[in-house]
Amino acid sequence: FDISLLRVEIMGENSNNILRDIPEAPEDAIFGISAAYKADTSPDKVNLGVGAYRNDAGEPVVLKVVREAEIRLVHDESLRKEYLPIDGLPQFRTLSAQLLLGKDSAPLREGRVAIAQALSGTGALRVGMELIRRFFPEGTRVVSSNPTWGNHKAIVERSGLAYSTYRYYDPATRGLNLGGMLEDLHALPAGTVVILHAVAHNPTGVDPSREGWDQILAVVRERQLVAFLDCAYQGFGSGCLEKDAYAIRLFAESGVPTLVAQSYSKNMGLYSERVGTITVVCPTAASAAAVQSQLKKVIRPMYSNPPRNGAYIVATILGDPQLLTGWRDELAAMAERVLAMRKALYDHLQKLGTPGSWEHILNQAGMFTFTGLSPAQVESVTKNFHIYLLKSGRINMCGLNSSNIAYVAKAFDDAVRKIPASM
Amino acid sequence: RRPGRGQGMAAMLRGAERLAAQRLGARAASWWGHVEAAPKDPILGVTEKFLADPNPEKMNLGVGAYRDDDGQPVVLDCVREAERRICNNKFMEYLPMGGLKPFVDESLKLAYGDDSAELAEGRVAAIQSLSGTGSCRVMADFMHRFKPDAKIYITVPTWANHHNIWRDANVEQDTFRYYHPETRGLDFEGMVEDMKAAPSGSFFLLHACAHNPTGVDPTLEQWKEISQVMKDKGHFAFFDMAYQGFASGDFERDAASIKTFLDDGHLIGCSQSFAKNMGMYGQRIGAFSLVCADKNEAAAVESQMKRLARPTYSNPPVHGALLAHTVLADAELKKQWYAEVKGMADRIIDMRSALRSELEKLGSPHSWNHVTDQIGMFAFTGLSPEQVDKMYEHSIYLTRNGRISMAGVNTKNVKRLAECIHSVTTA
């Protein structure tokens, strides 16, 4: 007699089993690739999937300044584990705002900036979208680039807002379709929220030039749109924090309504600590205070208050001149390694005489490159060479290193020659 | 006086710019101009009041965070040890969406029992969550997605944020009787009546132990009856367990309500928080679980839980999970933890006795039995909002529903607390 059967029967009949017939969710595309890579037993396998930094030995890296900050925190007996305020660690918020907007920022000086600690970039976007849904007119739409990070659509729709895209990537040039982008933005109704990648566009690596940004700002201003900058790679684009903040500061100073989602996952390597910020640049100090209070109202029923550890690490580093310098150096080194890999991949493909143009590898910026490989070519590379990348052809440059770059180049060469491109 | 030509142009241009900026400012102001300042959170707002008070004898009896006898926050020794072990040791790559699985497994053992059949059969879908709030929110979102017509029944009173959570998840809510103001105990008849009156298959939010804010828990016998009633009506039981170990000092005893329901065959849901019992308030560490009919269902359900996490935070924070796992998975540390939690629970029980005895010593005309009858971190004093406001004048901060966090009471301040309560209740 199996009592567990009896239990299920009793519950089955009159129970309102909400769990019956729940379909299995499709695997998340990006994390699914990591899973497949893990399961692969080939000694030659290469993971060019998820966006996390790797050093030349293919190892994940914890920054020296982060280790140093961790040690200081562990030994600080005065630190407890109390709840942070709903909007996060105060010094973390202040220092993050300065990092994004610059110490001389007019909005900061004028007290017009609402900023809350968030669960990294995802959490920042989610809270920002929730705020927009509550206070913007009914029917407000959010647009993002085509293509964009897969989670943008999910976050926007999860927040109950309509989502669509604007032209961005030009497959022909593997660069920016600025004209198409400006046209699409120009056609948007006033009040549309435009997600813009502040630097190191994910997944394409294609960023507007400074002139391009000026033109984008002009359209946003003229058409009374709202700018929501997604900043997940400050410092990873050029290696310089200030340079990479150009677009953010341009919009923040412009008077155009601006939100910023910031993440420390990549540039401080704090991926799993989930640390970032949501910033809203407001026209007056009074409206900033009101917005701050409403940000808290969104957060409290989501998770009450944010996790401490990551915020303390960031605040420790940003607040200590020596650690801050150390961070700049380590960040520059990471960015330089990526640039070196771009050059190396390009050189290898040139040497192999791989058909097609590969300049875009040099022109694109940040952690990712949109190779231009078709889904079929990607499949071939994965199946025959155990190289894992997204179906879109996106590769994480950090997955490349001096030991595997020749191998990867060969694989791309093989796929491009064997399989006709449908680009 | 008319300016020279060049100056005139410049002035004109500046004027034009200013006008344009004004217009721009006006346009920009219209986006956020209608946003009103939100009222302060009733619980966390009390802490803010407290912090602003310059009185050296001020008392914070608002937020439910444990304090030692010196009124100091406490980091558990077992947690400090865990910290030392993991420091400089861990990589920080993303956790999976469902969190740190070894942590989740250990957490489930605490709630369901080491010998749980449900766990052995792989029937429990679970993810790491952002403490109790995060767990409840995932539950609410899950209900909204998979049972959009369902209503959640919530006790009167309850933790204020419960209402916010289900509201923001767009789930209809209703209440059921729980607290009996006259006896300052459980309104068991009212509770059962309301459960019987609710449409079959309704969802009920139950506090597994140490009810917040009242401190009033059903007896084991009453739990058994509640389980029967809910089974007969085919109701769904969602247990919010934020104080396991903190109520009686015994982890198994504090989970007895859950065990009762599992033994009776209910397929329950459970929110676990390690904020209080591990003192890891700021780490945001907990677990959300749903007991399913079989392994396949559990797999599907778990995949859908993760799908809810992805657009909210992608994957949960690692630090608290590593600390909690380190403690739970090490026999010595776990034993040490049990002892430390018992110590905290015992101190609170002592303070309950002390407060009641001080009030009785003062000759209060009211009955204060409820102070020692109630269990867990909170005491529902019975003070009215107006009386609470008078307590603020004494620099004693509690929430306006009359709830005090016993954790904020210690041997140094219990007398003054009694005197002030006595004063505002006999005026």
Side-chain angles (χ1 to χ4, degrees), chain A residues 215-408:
Chain A
Q215 290 179 269
I216 294 166
L217 170 62
V219 174
V220 169
R221 193 202 295 274
E222 192 200 321
R223 305 301 300 159
Q224 293 178 260
L225 308 175
V226 176
F228 199 147
L229 290 139
D230 186 350
C231 181
Y233 299 98
Q234 187 184 4
F236 239 113
S238 65
C240 171
L241 291 163
E242 283 70 27
K243 266 207 205 135
D244 285 357
Y246 178 80
I248 294 171
R249 295 175 188 191
L250 181 71
F251 276 85
E253 302 293 316
S254 70
V256 154
T258 300
L259 296 94
V260 185
Q262 177 189 32
S263 166
Y264 287 97
S265 288
K266 284 82 169 176
N267 60 11
M268 256 197 214
L270 294 174
Y271 308 91
S272 57
E273 301 284 343
R274 319 308 295 131
V275 54
T277 60
I278 172 67
T279 296
V280 186
V281 182
C282 301
T284 62
S287 59
V291 167
Q292 188 80 26
S293 73
Q294 295 294 350
L295 286 171
K296 290 197 246 186
K297 268 209 112 182
V298 168
I299 291 169
R300 175 57 159 157
M302 265 189 199
Y303 50 86
S304 281
N305 40 73
R308 303 171 52 95
N309 204 49
Y312 268 97
I313 292 174
V314 172
T316 303
I317 293 170
L318 295 182
D320 177 312
Q322 194 194 22
L323 289 179
L324 180 55
T325 305
W327 180 44
R328 286 180 185 279
D329 292 343
E330 285 189 84
L331 189 48
M334 289 197 285
E336 268 164 45
R337 194 180 94 67
V338 169
L339 286 168
M341 287 300 102
R342 287 187 177 281
K343 184 147 195 326
L345 182 58
Y346 174 79
D347 288 345
H348 276 280
L349 291 170
Q350 293 296 99
K351 237 187 319 181
L352 289 167
T354 310
S357 162
W358 299 98
E359 303 277 321
H360 57 284
I361 294 179
L362 298 175
N363 296 332
Q364 290 167 8
M367 212 182 258
F368 302 112
T369 291
F370 235 35
T371 54
L373 293 181
S374 70
Q377 291 168 337
V378 168
E379 214 190 306
S380 157
V381 155
T382 304
K383 211 165 53 172
N384 300 320
F385 291 86
H386 306 276
I387 297 174
Y388 292 82
L389 60 154
L390 298 192
K391 243 190 355 210
S392 61
R394 183 193 92 166
I395 60 174
N396 176 1
M397 300 308 295
C398 306
L400 294 171
N401 54 56
S402 40
S403 336
N404 66 21
I405 194 141
Y407 177 72
V408 170

Side-chain angles (χ1 to χ4, degrees), chain A residues 49-182:
Chain A
V50 76
Y53 182 78
R54 293 281 179 280
N55 61 17
D56 197 57
E59 297 161 341
V61 164
V62 179
L63 273 62
K64 287 202 206 66
V65 290
V66 169
R67 288 273 186 240
E68 172 60 35
E70 261 195 312
I71 292 176
R72 289 188 197 184
L73 291 168
V74 159
H75 287 109
D76 186 348
E77 291 282 316
S78 74
L79 272 185
R80 313 297 182 170
K81 298 199 180 312
E82 299 289 282
Y83 292 123
L84 284 182
I86 300 175
D87 52 2
L89 185 63
Q91 56 266 42
F92 164 79
R93 288 168 46 227
T94 304
L95 291 164
S96 294
Q98 286 171 3
L99 177 63
L100 282 176
L101 305 177
K103 284 210 175 104
D104 309 316
S105 152
L108 269 183
R109 274 186 284 113
E110 293 158 20
R112 296 193 279 116
V113 177
I115 179 168
Q117 181 179 338
L119 296 166
S120 203
T122 304
L125 285 160
R126 176 87 172 92
V127 170
M129 293 302 165
E130 193 59 46
L131 188 78
I132 285 167
R133 192 194 52 77
R134 288 178 193 201
F135 293 104
F136 277 38
E138 175 112 27
T140 293
R141 171 171 290 267
V142 181
V143 298
S144 191
S145 62
N146 177 13
T148 192
W149 181 46
N151 214 12
H152 277 163
K153 180 172 192 287
I155 296 169
V156 170
E157 289 179 346
R158 180 85 190 76
S159 307
L161 296 162
Y163 176 87
S164 52
T165 61
Y166 54 87
R167 280 173 287 170
Y168 190 81
Y169 177 70
D170 186 346
T173 60
R174 294 192 196 129
L176 178 62
N177 178 1
L178 184 61
M181 177 180 181
L182 294 173

Side-chain angles (χ1 to χ4, degrees), chain A residues 4 7-8 10-11 14-26 28 30-31 50-54 60-62 66-68 70-71 73-74 76-84 86 119 122-123 126 130-132 134-137 149 151 154-155 158 190-191 221-222 224-226 254-259 265-266 269-274 280-284 287 289-291 293-294 296-309 313, chain B residues 24-25 27-29 31-39 41 43-44 48 63-67 72-75 79-80 83-84 86-95 97 117-118 121 123 130 133-134 137 139 141-143 145-147 159 161 164-165 167-168 201-203 231-234 236 262-267 275-276 279-284 290-293 297 299-301 303-304 307-308 310-319 323:
Chain A
S4 68
R7 219 182 280 150
V8 172
I10 289 175
M11 289 316 297
N14 63 2
S15 87
N16 180 40
N17 189 349
I18 93 172
L19 306 172
R20 212 175 5 223
D21 304 328
I22 288 183
E24 177 112 25
D28 181 278
I30 298 174
F31 292 129
V50 76
Y53 182 78
R54 293 281 179 280
V61 164
V62 179
V66 169
R67 288 273 186 240
E68 172 60 35
E70 261 195 312
I71 292 176
L73 291 168
V74 159
D76 186 348
E77 291 282 316
S78 74
L79 272 185
R80 313 297 182 170
K81 298 199 180 312
E82 299 289 282
Y83 292 123
L84 284 182
I86 300 175
L119 296 166
T122 304
R126 176 87 172 92
E130 193 59 46
L131 188 78
I132 285 167
R134 288 178 193 201
F135 293 104
F136 277 38
W149 181 46
N151 214 12
I155 296 169
R158 180 85 190 76
R221 193 202 295 274
E222 192 200 321
Q224 293 178 260
L225 308 175
V226 176
S254 70
V256 154
T258 300
L259 296 94
S265 288
K266 284 82 169 176
L270 294 174
Y271 308 91
S272 57
E273 301 284 343
R274 319 308 295 131
V280 186
V281 182
C282 301
T284 62
S287 59
V291 167
S293 73
Q294 295 294 350
K296 290 197 246 186
K297 268 209 112 182
V298 168
I299 291 169
R300 175 57 159 157
M302 265 189 199
Y303 50 86
S304 281
N305 40 73
R308 303 171 52 95
N309 204 49
I313 292 174
Chain B
L24 184 67
R27 246 185 272 139
W31 294 120
W32 302 113
H34 63 300
V35 177
E36 281 174 17
D41 181 275
I43 300 170
L44 303 175
E48 284 179 35
V63 73
Y66 183 77
R67 295 285 178 274
Q72 293 303 307
V74 165
V75 177
V79 171
R80 279 249 185 263
E83 251 192 329
R84 280 188 282 269
I86 71 168
C87 176
N88 265 304
N89 224 339
K90 64 186 206 279
F91 288 113
M92 292 167 172
E93 299 282 293
Y94 293 122
L95 282 180
M97 285 181 285
E118 295 80 11
E121 291 155 25
R123 291 199 285 123
L130 295 165
T133 305
R137 182 53 182 268
M139 176 67 199
D141 288 340
F142 201 88
M143 280 177 70
R145 183 164 284 185
F146 294 106
K147 217 57 181 163
W159 180 48
N161 208 23
N164 297 334
I165 291 168
R167 177 203 65 220
D168 277 14
S202 295
F203 286 67
K231 210 161 85 168
D232 293 339
K233 292 287 301 190
F236 181 92
L262 291 174
D263 285 346
D264 289 346
H266 287 273
L267 298 176
K276 282 83 171 174
M280 292 211 287
Y281 307 91
Q283 267 64 24
R284 320 312 294 130
L290 288 170
V291 181
C292 303
E297 196 177 273
V301 166
S303 73
Q304 293 292 351
R307 206 169 175 210
L308 286 168
R310 179 60 157 151
T312 302
Y313 52 86
S314 280
N315 42 75
V318 71
H319 195 239
L323 287 175

Side-chain angles (χ1 to χ4, degrees), chain B residues 241-316:
Chain B
M241 186 156 67
Y243 299 97
Q244 189 184 8
F246 233 109
S248 66
D250 180 321
F251 276 82
E252 237 180 86
R253 212 162 119 192
D254 286 353
S257 57
I258 291 179
K259 182 137 203 327
T260 299
F261 273 65
L262 291 174
D263 285 346
D264 289 346
H266 287 273
L267 298 176
I268 65 164
C270 181
S271 157
Q272 288 174 273
S273 165
F274 289 91
K276 282 83 171 174
N277 59 18
M278 265 199 200
M280 292 211 287
Y281 307 91
Q283 267 64 24
R284 320 312 294 130
I285 179 68
F288 166 61
S289 54
L290 288 170
V291 181
C292 303
D294 57 50
K295 232 177 175 157
N296 291 333
E297 196 177 273
V301 166
E302 202 170 286
S303 73
Q304 293 292 351
M305 287 176 172
K306 294 176 193 173
R307 206 169 175 210
L308 286 168
R310 179 60 157 151
T312 302
Y313 52 86
S314 280
N315 42 75

Side-chain angles (χ1 to χ4, degrees), chain B residues 97-335:
Chain B
M97 285 181 285
L100 187 68
K101 188 150 193 327
F103 155 74
V104 175
D105 290 343
E106 287 295 331
S107 183
L108 294 177
K109 274 159 54 180
L110 267 184
Y112 294 92
D114 288 339
D115 309 315
S116 150
E118 295 80 11
L119 287 178
E121 291 155 25
R123 291 199 285 123
V124 182
I127 56 171
Q128 178 184 336
S129 65
L130 295 165
S131 205
T133 305
S135 286
C136 287
R137 182 53 182 268
V138 181
M139 176 67 199
D141 288 340
F142 201 88
M143 280 177 70
H144 179 72
R145 183 164 284 185
F146 294 106
K147 217 57 181 163
D149 300 328
K151 225 197 298 197
I152 182 82
Y153 284 79
I154 298 181
T155 64
V156 181
T158 195
W159 180 48
N161 208 23
H162 278 150
H163 293 296
N164 297 334
I165 291 168
W166 267 269
R167 177 203 65 220
D168 277 14
N170 293 306
V171 173
E172 210 191 324
Q173 40 183 293
D174 206 331
T175 57
F176 66 102
R177 280 170 285 171
Y178 190 84
Y179 178 70
H180 211 257
E182 288 76 40
T183 60
R184 300 208 182 104
L186 183 66
D187 181 0
F188 184 64
E189 282 78 41
M191 184 181 188
V192 167
E193 252 178 60
D194 288 349
M195 283 182 169
K196 287 185 173 161
S200 279
S202 295
F203 286 67
F204 281 80
L205 170 59
L206 304 166
H207 299 228
C209 65
H211 184 271
N212 178 1
T214 67
V216 170
D217 286 348
T219 63
L220 193 53
E221 280 315 306
Q222 288 172 326
W223 274 122
K224 290 191 168 132
E225 277 191 63
I226 294 165
S227 169
Q228 274 309 310
V229 169
M230 287 186 66
K231 210 161 85 168
D232 293 339
K233 292 287 301 190
H235 289 330
F236 181 92
F238 180 61
F239 284 95
D240 185 351
M241 186 156 67
Y243 299 97
Q244 189 184 8
F246 233 109
S248 66
D250 180 321
F251 276 82
E252 237 180 86
R253 212 162 119 192
D254 286 353
S257 57
I258 291 179
K259 182 137 203 327
T260 299
F261 273 65
L262 291 174
D263 285 346
D264 289 346
H266 287 273
L267 298 176
I268 65 164
C270 181
S271 157
Q272 288 174 273
S273 165
F274 289 91
K276 282 83 171 174
N277 59 18
M278 265 199 200
M280 292 211 287
Y281 307 91
Q283 267 64 24
R284 320 312 294 130
I285 179 68
F288 166 61
S289 54
L290 288 170
V291 181
C292 303
D294 57 50
K295 232 177 175 157
N296 291 333
E297 196 177 273
V301 166
E302 202 170 286
S303 73
Q304 293 292 351
M305 287 176 172
K306 294 176 193 173
R307 206 169 175 210
L308 286 168
R310 179 60 157 151
T312 302
Y313 52 86
S314 280
N315 42 75
V318 71
H319 195 239
L322 277 178
L323 287 175
H325 176 256
T326 303
V327 170
L328 294 171
D330 179 307
E332 278 306 309
L333 280 182
K334 194 171 184 183
K335 217 165 99 184

